[in-house]
Amino acid sequence: MPPTPHRAALLVIDMQHNMRPLMHRPDHTVATIAGLSSRARTANVPVITVQQQGCGDTLPGLAPRNGEPVVTKTCADAFLNTDLDETLIRLGVTEVLVTGFATENCVETTARQALSHGYDLVLVADGHTTSVRRQPTDFALPDQSIAHHNEIYRHIDFPDRSVRVLTATDINFTAPQSSPGRSAPAPLTRIPVTPR
Protein backbone atom coordinates (compact mmCIF):
# COMPACT_ATOMS: atom_id res chain seq x y z
CA MET A 1 0.00 0.00 0.00
CA PRO A 2 1.54 3.35 -1.00
CA PRO A 3 2.13 5.97 1.72
CA THR A 4 -0.55 8.60 2.23
CA PRO A 5 0.44 11.85 0.45
CA HIS A 6 1.29 14.75 2.74
CA ARG A 7 -1.56 17.22 3.21
CA ALA A 8 -1.58 19.98 5.79
CA ALA A 9 -4.51 21.76 7.43
CA LEU A 10 -4.49 24.92 9.52
CA LEU A 11 -6.43 24.89 12.80
CA VAL A 12 -7.54 28.25 14.21
CA ILE A 13 -8.59 27.61 17.82
CA ASP A 14 -10.88 29.81 19.97
CA MET A 15 -10.09 33.15 18.36
CA GLN A 16 -13.50 34.50 19.41
CA HIS A 17 -15.08 37.73 20.66
CA ASN A 18 -15.64 36.59 24.24
CA MET A 19 -12.03 35.45 24.50
CA ARG A 20 -10.43 38.64 23.20
CA PRO A 21 -10.44 40.57 26.52
CA LEU A 22 -8.50 37.68 28.06
CA MET A 23 -5.86 37.50 25.33
CA HIS A 24 -2.26 38.62 25.57
CA ARG A 25 -1.36 40.61 22.42
CA PRO A 26 -4.58 39.84 20.55
CA ASP A 27 -3.89 42.18 17.61
CA HIS A 28 -0.49 40.61 16.93
CA THR A 29 -1.90 37.08 17.12
CA VAL A 30 -4.88 37.87 14.89
CA ALA A 31 -2.61 39.48 12.28
CA THR A 32 -0.23 36.52 12.32
CA ILE A 33 -3.01 33.95 11.94
CA ALA A 34 -4.83 36.02 9.31
CA GLY A 35 -1.70 36.23 7.18
CA LEU A 36 -1.06 32.50 7.53
CA SER A 37 -4.70 31.71 6.72
CA SER A 38 -4.52 33.78 3.55
CA ARG A 39 -1.38 31.94 2.45
CA ALA A 40 -2.97 28.59 3.32
CA ARG A 41 -6.02 29.31 1.16
CA THR A 42 -3.79 30.38 -1.73
CA ALA A 43 -1.93 27.07 -1.39
CA ASN A 44 -5.22 25.12 -1.26
CA VAL A 45 -4.57 24.14 2.36
CA PRO A 46 -7.78 23.72 4.39
CA VAL A 47 -8.40 26.26 7.15
CA ILE A 48 -10.51 24.81 9.97
CA THR A 49 -12.04 27.12 12.54
CA VAL A 50 -12.43 25.62 16.01
CA GLN A 51 -14.80 27.45 18.36
CA GLN A 52 -15.56 27.06 22.04
CA GLN A 53 -19.31 26.75 22.48
CA GLY A 54 -20.93 29.91 23.84
CA CYS A 55 -17.92 32.20 23.35
CA GLY A 56 -19.16 34.32 20.47
CA ASP A 57 -18.24 34.78 16.84
CA THR A 58 -14.78 34.46 15.37
CA LEU A 59 -12.75 37.66 15.56
CA PRO A 60 -12.72 39.97 12.52
CA GLY A 61 -10.09 38.95 10.02
CA LEU A 62 -10.34 35.29 11.00
CA ALA A 63 -13.93 34.47 10.04
CA PRO A 64 -14.23 31.22 8.09
CA ARG A 65 -14.95 31.52 4.38
CA ASN A 66 -18.05 29.97 2.86
CA GLY A 67 -17.76 26.20 2.84
CA GLU A 68 -14.81 26.02 5.24
CA PRO A 69 -15.19 23.62 8.17
CA VAL A 70 -16.20 24.97 11.58
CA VAL A 71 -15.85 22.68 14.60
CA THR A 72 -17.64 23.52 17.87
CA LYS A 73 -16.15 22.08 21.04
CA THR A 74 -17.15 22.06 24.69
CA CYS A 75 -13.77 21.53 26.36
CA ALA A 76 -10.05 22.13 25.78
CA ASP A 77 -9.70 19.09 23.50
CA ALA A 78 -10.93 19.95 20.00
CA PHE A 79 -11.08 16.23 19.15
CA LEU A 80 -13.28 15.16 22.07
CA ASN A 81 -16.94 14.64 21.08
CA THR A 82 -16.53 16.69 17.89
CA ASP A 83 -16.22 15.87 14.20
CA LEU A 84 -12.68 17.29 13.92
CA ASP A 85 -11.04 13.91 13.32
CA GLU A 86 -13.68 12.91 10.76
CA THR A 87 -13.23 16.27 9.01
CA LEU A 88 -9.46 15.84 8.81
CA ILE A 89 -9.84 12.29 7.49
CA ARG A 90 -12.37 13.42 4.87
CA LEU A 91 -9.96 16.13 3.70
CA GLY A 92 -7.05 13.68 3.53
CA VAL A 93 -5.04 15.63 6.14
CA THR A 94 -1.81 14.14 7.49
CA GLU A 95 -0.41 17.18 9.33
CA VAL A 96 -2.09 19.87 11.42
CA LEU A 97 -0.75 23.37 11.96
CA VAL A 98 -2.01 24.62 15.31
CA THR A 99 -2.74 28.26 16.14
CA GLY A 100 -5.03 30.11 18.53
CA PHE A 101 -5.90 30.62 22.19
CA ALA A 102 -4.94 29.70 24.87
CA THR A 103 -1.40 28.36 24.70
CA GLU A 104 -1.40 26.08 27.73
CA ASN A 105 -5.04 25.08 27.53
CA CYS A 106 -6.88 24.50 24.25
CA VAL A 107 -3.83 24.90 21.99
CA GLU A 108 -1.69 22.53 24.07
CA THR A 109 -4.44 19.95 24.57
CA THR A 110 -5.44 19.87 20.91
CA ALA A 111 -1.82 19.70 19.74
CA ARG A 112 -1.12 16.64 21.89
CA GLN A 113 -4.35 14.99 20.87
CA ALA A 114 -3.48 15.55 17.21
CA LEU A 115 -0.32 13.51 17.75
CA SER A 116 -2.27 10.81 19.58
CA HIS A 117 -4.73 10.66 16.68
CA GLY A 118 -1.87 10.01 14.25
CA TYR A 119 -1.23 13.44 12.71
CA ASP A 120 2.08 15.16 12.19
CA LEU A 121 2.18 18.51 13.97
CA VAL A 122 3.37 22.05 13.46
CA LEU A 123 3.00 24.42 16.40
CA VAL A 124 3.03 27.91 14.89
CA ALA A 125 5.44 29.64 17.28
CA ASP A 126 4.04 33.16 16.87
CA GLY A 127 0.47 32.07 16.07
CA HIS A 128 -0.74 31.16 19.56
CA THR A 129 -1.26 33.27 22.64
CA THR A 130 -2.18 32.92 26.26
CA SER A 131 -4.22 34.94 28.73
CA VAL A 132 -3.22 38.16 30.44
CA ARG A 133 -2.11 37.66 34.05
CA ARG A 134 -3.31 39.49 37.11
CA GLN A 135 -0.49 40.17 39.53
CA PRO A 136 0.60 38.55 41.77
CA THR A 137 0.30 35.12 40.13
CA ASP A 138 1.90 31.71 40.15
CA PHE A 139 1.33 31.43 36.39
CA ALA A 140 4.27 32.04 34.09
CA LEU A 141 4.08 35.49 32.51
CA PRO A 142 2.48 35.44 29.04
CA ASP A 143 5.62 35.76 26.90
CA GLN A 144 7.40 33.19 29.08
CA SER A 145 4.48 30.77 28.79
CA ILE A 146 4.42 31.03 25.00
CA ALA A 147 8.22 30.59 24.78
CA HIS A 148 8.08 27.68 27.25
CA HIS A 149 5.53 25.76 25.18
CA ASN A 150 7.38 26.43 21.94
CA GLU A 151 10.54 25.02 23.54
CA ILE A 152 8.71 21.94 24.84
CA TYR A 153 7.46 21.15 21.34
CA ARG A 154 10.95 21.58 19.89
CA HIS A 155 12.01 18.62 22.05
CA ILE A 156 8.99 16.32 21.98
CA ASP A 157 9.61 12.92 20.46
CA PHE A 158 6.50 11.07 19.35
CA PRO A 159 6.65 7.64 17.69
CA ASP A 160 6.58 7.89 13.88
CA ARG A 161 5.35 11.48 13.89
CA SER A 162 6.97 14.73 12.82
CA VAL A 163 6.76 17.57 15.34
CA ARG A 164 7.94 21.01 14.24
CA VAL A 165 7.83 24.50 15.74
CA LEU A 166 7.92 27.15 13.02
CA THR A 167 7.14 30.83 12.82
CA ALA A 168 4.36 31.76 10.41
CA THR A 169 6.85 33.18 7.89
CA ASP A 170 8.85 29.92 7.91
CA ILE A 171 5.84 27.76 6.98
CA ASN A 172 5.70 26.64 3.36
CA PHE A 173 2.97 23.94 3.71
CA THR A 174 5.19 21.20 2.29
CA ALA A 175 6.00 17.85 3.83
CA PRO A 176 8.55 17.85 6.65
CA GLN A 177 12.06 16.94 5.61
CA SER A 178 14.22 14.50 7.55
CA SER A 179 17.07 16.04 9.44
CA PRO A 180 20.42 14.36 10.20
CA GLY A 181 19.92 11.79 12.92
CA ARG A 182 16.14 11.87 12.58
CA SER A 183 14.17 9.74 10.20
CA ALA A 184 11.25 10.95 8.14
CA PRO A 185 7.83 10.30 9.66
CA ALA A 186 6.22 7.00 8.87
CA PRO A 187 3.25 6.92 6.50
CA LEU A 188 0.10 8.01 8.29
CA THR A 189 -1.74 5.23 10.04
CA ARG A 190 -5.06 5.82 11.70
CA ILE A 191 -4.96 5.31 15.42
CA PRO A 192 -8.42 4.34 16.63
CA VAL A 193 -9.58 6.40 19.59
CA THR A 194 -12.68 5.21 21.39
CA PRO A 195 -14.67 7.97 23.15
CA ARG A 196 -15.37 7.28 26.79
Side-chain angles (χ1 to χ4, degrees), residues 49-79:
T49 301
V50 178
Q51 296 181 331
Q52 181 68 26
Q53 185 174 359
C55 288
D57 293 332
T58 303
L59 290 170
L62 299 179
R65 302 279 174 86
N66 287 339
E68 289 182 343
V70 177
V71 173
T72 301
K73 63 183 180 62
T74 58
C75 67
D77 178 0
F79 286 90

Side-chain angles (χ1 to χ4, degrees), residues 4-8 94-97 119-122 160-166 170 172-179 182-186:
T4 304
H6 173 268
R7 181 160 169 75
T94 61
E95 178 177 66
V96 293
L97 290 75
Y119 297 98
D120 293 330
L121 175 70
V122 175
D160 299 324
R161 300 275 66 87
S162 166
V163 182
R164 300 184 289 167
V165 179
L166 300 172
D170 287 335
N172 63 12
F173 301 113
T174 59
Q177 302 297 311
S178 349
S179 56
R182 186 170 186 173
S183 59

Side-chain angles (χ1 to χ4, degrees), residues 14-20 23 26 30 57-63:
D14 293 358
M15 297 298 290
Q16 295 166 260
H17 280 286
N18 293 5
M19 303 293 199
R20 193 183 191 287
M23 290 181 189
V30 167
D57 293 332
T58 303
L59 290 170
L62 299 179

